[in-house]
Amino acid sequence: MKFTIRHPYAIEPEPFWREVFFDHDYNEKLYKKGLEFEAFDVVEETSPPDGRKTRKVRVTPKIDAPAAIRKVLGDSVSYVEEGRLEVSGPNTPKWFARVLPSKLADKTTIKAEMWLERTGPGQSDRVAEFEIEVKMFGVGGMVEKFLEKTMRESYQKAAEYTNQWLRANGKAGS
């Protein structure tokens, strides 16, 4: 399954990557307040001199899953997102991420690419493309649809929270 999510952001691409995306305070508040995740921890982060960056985070979202999904995943699930920021190539900077769930990791593939497209002065669209595959006979498609729905909801909340944060921190329109 592949899908794309697009949301407007009140910031241009360069300051977003430079001042927001890797800001620890922003991320802590985004995950805990904006997304209401139970846990958010930066496991590792690197910044080589060539401008690329990597980050590994471990998070535990609250999930409101139907009974059939809870039967497969249980009542709680966490995941590790391993990502890297590429600074050369089309639509760069671009964030490439791989999600490793705490359950069914051997049956689940989740990949994402995210970038910002300038839409006007102080404005961008955040674009995220996802690829999800769950290899489980009989329920794989259902789990994929649940993951898509959950990601769409989370990314909408993240866009709303980020735009509020940008205004509150004097970064909107930059």
Side-chain angles (χ1 to χ4, degrees), residues 7 10 16 29 60 78-79 86 133 138 140 144 154 160 162 165 172:
H7 291 105
F16 174 78
K29 289 177 180 169
T60 305
S78 63
Y79 64 86
E86 291 294 332
E133 184 178 15
E144 288 174 358
S154 290
E160 291 167 4
T162 299
W165 188 89

Side-chain angles (χ1 to χ4, degrees), residues 1-3 99 101 103-111 130-136 139-145 147-148 151:
M1 162 185 284
K2 293 182 181 183
F3 61 97
V99 175
K103 298 176 182 167
L104 306 175
D106 59 331
K107 296 175 178 8
T108 306
T109 302
I110 303 172
K111 296 178 185 175
F130 296 91
E131 182 179 335
I132 301 173
E133 184 178 15
V134 180
K135 297 177 184 175
M136 292 182 65
V139 295
M142 180 176 57
V143 174
E144 288 174 358
K145 287 178 184 166
L147 291 172
E148 177 188 9
M151 287 178 172

Side-chain angles (χ1 to χ4, degrees), residues 20 30 32 43 48 50 53 67-68 73 78 82-83 102 109 114 121 138 148 160:
V20 178
L30 169 66
K32 291 188 176 174
V43 176
D50 63 3
K53 294 184 180 215
L73 297 178
S78 63
E82 296 177 344
S102 60
T109 302
M114 184 180 80
E148 177 188 9
E160 291 167 4

Side-chain angles (χ1 to χ4, degrees), residues 69-85:
I69 301 289
R70 281 196 316 271
K71 195 174 221 180
V72 174
L73 297 178
D75 290 329
S76 176
V77 96
S78 63
Y79 64 86
V80 171
E81 177 186 287
E82 296 177 344
R84 72 183 191 285
L85 182 69

Side-chain angles (χ1 to χ4, degrees), residues 3-107:
F3 61 97
T4 302
I5 300 173
R6 179 182 290 266
H7 291 105
Y9 271 29
I11 192 168
E12 293 193 28
E14 295 79 14
F16 174 78
W17 294 112
R18 187 178 60 246
E19 301 170 18
V20 178
F21 189 75
F22 290 96
D23 181 279
H24 291 283
D25 181 57
Y26 160 77
N27 280 287
E28 184 83 18
K29 289 177 180 169
L30 169 66
Y31 281 92
K32 291 188 176 174
K33 286 177 139 180
L35 297 173
E36 300 176 338
F37 279 24
E38 294 173 9
F40 166 79
D41 296 299
V42 176
V43 176
E44 180 182 348
E45 192 171 279
T46 66
S47 297
D50 63 3
R52 294 177 305 123
K53 294 184 180 215
T54 66
R55 179 172 65 192
K56 184 190 291 189
V57 297
R58 180 176 297 114
V59 298
T60 305
K62 290 181 183 177
I63 58 171
D64 183 20
I69 301 289
R70 281 196 316 271
K71 195 174 221 180
V72 174
L73 297 178
D75 290 329
S76 176
V77 96
S78 63
Y79 64 86
V80 171
E81 177 186 287
E82 296 177 344
R84 72 183 191 285
L85 182 69
E86 291 294 332
V87 293
S88 62
N91 294 319
T92 55
K94 183 185 273 188
W95 182 251
F96 293 88
R98 174 173 80 119
V99 175
L100 306 164
S102 60
K103 298 176 182 167
L104 306 175
D106 59 331
K107 296 175 178 8

